[in-house]
Amino acid sequence: MPDPTERVLALDPSLRGTGFAILERRQRQIAALDFGVIRNPASLLQSQCLVVIHEKIRGLLSEWTPGCMAVESVIYVQSYRTAITLGAARASAILAAAQSAVPVFEYAPRRVKQAVVGAGSAQKAQVAFMVRALLKLTETPPPDAADALAIGLTHFQSSDASAVRRTIPPRI
């Protein structure tokens, strides 16, 4: 079985469409083991969406046993309501990781775009295209999943990735 510190659960949190990806480093190659979008219908209350996100993340953590989780950090938004909603979605996912004693690493959106595309102002379509090329995927992933894959790639490119073995917190 692969070393779990070489596997990451990457997330692009959002209330209605949380992108997720499981990536693993195999020697010098990074492979996408699973990716997709946790979708919550508009008819679902915010509190119910947060429960769904939390439960799905707990399921992914249990199924794939990653050594860490990488998430997009808080982004600048003009609406405080949007910021609060995004923060709640992030918190729900981060809580799932904390309950499983999985360390969490955060990456700024600009840093993710820079790492994957080479330009911090890249568009979503450029990120998706590069993710597909870098991971040798047969299809372009949906935008939220592509963002999660990009966050995972950024984590593996980061010098922080080597610190994962030293930062596993105690189980709660």
Side-chain angles (χ1 to χ4, degrees):
M1 182 168 166
D3 182 349
T5 59
E6 294 294 326
R7 186 178 291 166
V8 61
L9 166 59
L11 296 176
D12 179 28
S14 169
L15 193 66
R16 303 289 172 192
T18 293
F20 71 87
I22 304 290
L23 290 110
E24 182 175 272
R25 186 187 345 239
R26 298 176 181 160
Q27 297 169 9
R28 299 183 77 129
Q29 297 286 63
I30 297 172
L33 305 179
D34 191 15
F35 59 87
V37 180
I38 301 167
R39 298 225 182 264
N40 284 312
S43 61
L44 211 56
L45 295 173
Q46 179 177 338
S47 58
Q48 294 169 319
C49 292
L50 296 175
V51 170
V52 169
I53 292 167
H54 185 265
E55 289 174 351
K56 297 280 187 180
I57 300 304
R58 290 290 305 248
L60 289 167
L61 290 166
S62 176
E63 178 182 356
W64 292 102
T65 61
C68 66
M69 186 166 82
V71 298
E72 188 172 71
S73 62
V74 177
I75 60 172
Y76 172 77
V77 291
Q78 293 187 358
S79 164
Y80 72 90
R81 286 182 188 226
T82 302
I84 290 170
T85 301
L86 282 173
R90 288 180 77 253
S92 181
I94 291 170
L95 175 61
Q99 288 173 323
S100 299
V102 173
V104 177
F105 295 85
E106 296 184 32
Y107 299 96
R110 198 165 173 79
R111 180 173 178 193
V112 172
K113 292 173 184 179
Q114 179 71 36
V116 175
V117 179
S121 60
Q123 301 298 311
K124 278 190 170 286
Q126 292 172 296
V127 172
F129 177 83
M130 285 306 296
V131 161
R132 179 180 177 177
L134 291 168
L135 293 171
K136 299 175 178 67
L137 302 175
T138 57
E139 294 181 17
T140 303
D144 295 320
D147 289 348
L149 288 161
I151 292 163
L153 287 168
T154 302
H155 177 74
F156 280 122
Q157 291 176 9
S158 167
S159 61
D160 293 339
S162 64
V164 171
R165 288 185 179 90
R166 298 189 309 268
T167 61
I168 297 175
R171 193 172 271 301
I172 297 174

